[in-house]
Amino acid sequence: MGLLRFSLAAVLLAAAGAKLLAGGRARDALRSYGIASARARAALWAGTIAAEAGLGAALSANLPGAAEGAAALLGLFALALVVAIARGRTGSPCGCFGGRSRIGWPAVIRTAALAGALAALPFLPDAHPSTDAWLGIGLGVALVAVAVLAVAVLALARELGELRLAVAPQAALSLEHEGPEMGSRLGLIERFEHASPLAVAVFTSPGCALCQALEPSLRLVASDPEVEIELFDEEDDGEVWRSLAIPGSPYAIVLSADGDVLAKGTFNSLFQLESLLAHATRPVSA
């Protein structure tokens, strides 16, 4: 009976942990049961987690009434699932084990079986496993925990990957009142040695750590034969900074071969610098 008791306690604790980790998805799953209020869903979500975790801990400690209380709770869950199915909610999120489990007869059978096992637990004989049996149980639990941890890490990696794909990187910050006027012609082009299609004036400062971190990105862009980069230091080229109203560093101005301002803006990554080049070479619509 001890092994079954610990197994059922682990199921209750795992269900509580899954709901806690699922967070908003688990709370939103409660809509399937007709709970429209966000405050009511949050309260029920928190109460369910507390009840499952508390009953799981009490069951593992073999406290009187823990099995009966857990059986009643799961019986209530099974009844709620049956009512949701009768209302045509089959296939909707059920929130049983986080946000991914679904309402259906398999969920009813699973919940009812757990409730029945908990209800029968007080009537089973209290057998005590041997030392070897406990070692085997411990090894099995450890292997299951490692497997669950591996699945959790893979799921987290997948979620992070989806988040990175969903959040698009921002382009360079370009404000109209900062830097030279778009389309104006600058004598700054004379500082460039080659007649490349694009000339990029990059404004840096001696104490700018970000400027130093971007040096590999600047070298990468400069390796393009159609792009020439020239650095303008805030101390050595202070007059240029003031005449062009440069707001800070790192800042870039993309010029045509004739010195026309095609793009400008503050950047802090290779993507943002490339966004300025893309803006400078975009086709002009009629």
Side-chain angles (χ1 to χ4, degrees), residues 195-213:
S196 301
L198 292 178
V200 183
V202 177
F203 295 83
T204 64
S205 302
C208 175
L210 182 57
C211 299
Q212 298 175 3

Side-chain angles (χ1 to χ4, degrees), residues 172 186 188-204 217-233 244 246 250-267 269-270 272-281:
L186 303 182
L188 197 66
I189 191 66
E190 298 177 359
R191 292 281 297 269
F192 292 82
E193 298 179 358
H194 308 290
S196 301
L198 292 178
V200 183
V202 177
F203 295 83
T204 64
S217 299
L218 296 178
R219 288 196 296 268
L220 179 63
V221 174
S223 64
D224 188 334
E226 296 188 352
V227 178
E228 183 181 356
I229 288 183
E230 184 71 24
L231 302 181
F232 293 85
D233 183 85
L244 297 178
I246 303 301
Y251 191 88
I253 300 175
V254 183
L255 304 173
S256 68
D258 296 327
D260 297 328
V261 177
L262 303 177
K264 62 176 182 176
T266 302
F267 67 98
S269 67
L270 175 61
Q272 292 185 339
L273 180 58
E274 290 180 335
S275 72
L276 289 174
L277 296 174
H279 181 78
T281 56

Side-chain angles (χ1 to χ4, degrees), residues 95-134:
C96 305
F97 286 92
R100 297 183 182 275
S101 48
R102 300 289 170 177
I103 293 175
W105 288 113
V108 175
I109 295 172
R110 177 190 65 219
T111 307
L114 289 171
L118 286 163
L121 189 61
F123 303 100
L124 297 178
D126 191 7
H128 296 282
S130 63
T131 302
D132 291 340
W134 277 116

Side-chain angles (χ1 to χ4, degrees), residues 37-251:
S37 171
R39 182 174 297 180
R41 290 197 304 271
L44 183 58
W45 170 77
T48 302
I49 292 174
E52 289 179 336
L55 287 170
L59 188 61
S60 63
N62 200 18
L63 297 181
E68 293 85 346
L73 180 65
L74 288 178
L76 183 62
F77 289 169
L79 179 61
L81 287 169
V82 172
V83 172
I85 292 174
R87 292 178 175 176
R89 304 298 297 174
T90 301
S92 301
C94 77
C96 305
F97 286 92
R100 297 183 182 275
S101 48
R102 300 289 170 177
I103 293 175
W105 288 113
V108 175
I109 295 172
R110 177 190 65 219
T111 307
L114 289 171
L118 286 163
L121 189 61
F123 303 100
L124 297 178
D126 191 7
H128 296 282
S130 63
T131 302
D132 291 340
W134 277 116
L135 289 175
I137 293 170
L139 178 60
V141 171
L143 292 175
V144 171
V146 170
V148 171
L149 181 61
V151 172
V153 171
L154 291 175
L156 179 60
R158 180 176 179 272
E159 293 293 333
L160 289 175
E162 291 180 354
L163 181 62
R164 291 190 63 184
L165 291 176
V167 180
Q170 296 180 344
L173 177 62
S174 179
L175 300 179
E176 185 177 354
H177 64 276
E178 293 181 349
E181 183 180 352
M182 290 291 296
S184 61
R185 180 163 296 185
L186 303 182
L188 197 66
I189 191 66
E190 298 177 359
R191 292 281 297 269
F192 292 82
E193 298 179 358
H194 308 290
S196 301
L198 292 178
V200 183
V202 177
F203 295 83
T204 64
S205 302
C208 175
L210 182 57
C211 299
Q212 298 175 3
L214 287 170
E215 288 181 0
S217 299
L218 296 178
R219 288 196 296 268
L220 179 63
V221 174
S223 64
D224 188 334
E226 296 188 352
V227 178
E228 183 181 356
I229 288 183
E230 184 71 24
L231 302 181
F232 293 85
D233 183 85
E234 185 176 10
E235 292 183 357
D236 297 339
D237 301 288
E239 185 177 347
V240 177
W241 272 63
R242 289 186 293 272
S243 65
L244 297 178
I246 303 301
S249 61
Y251 191 88

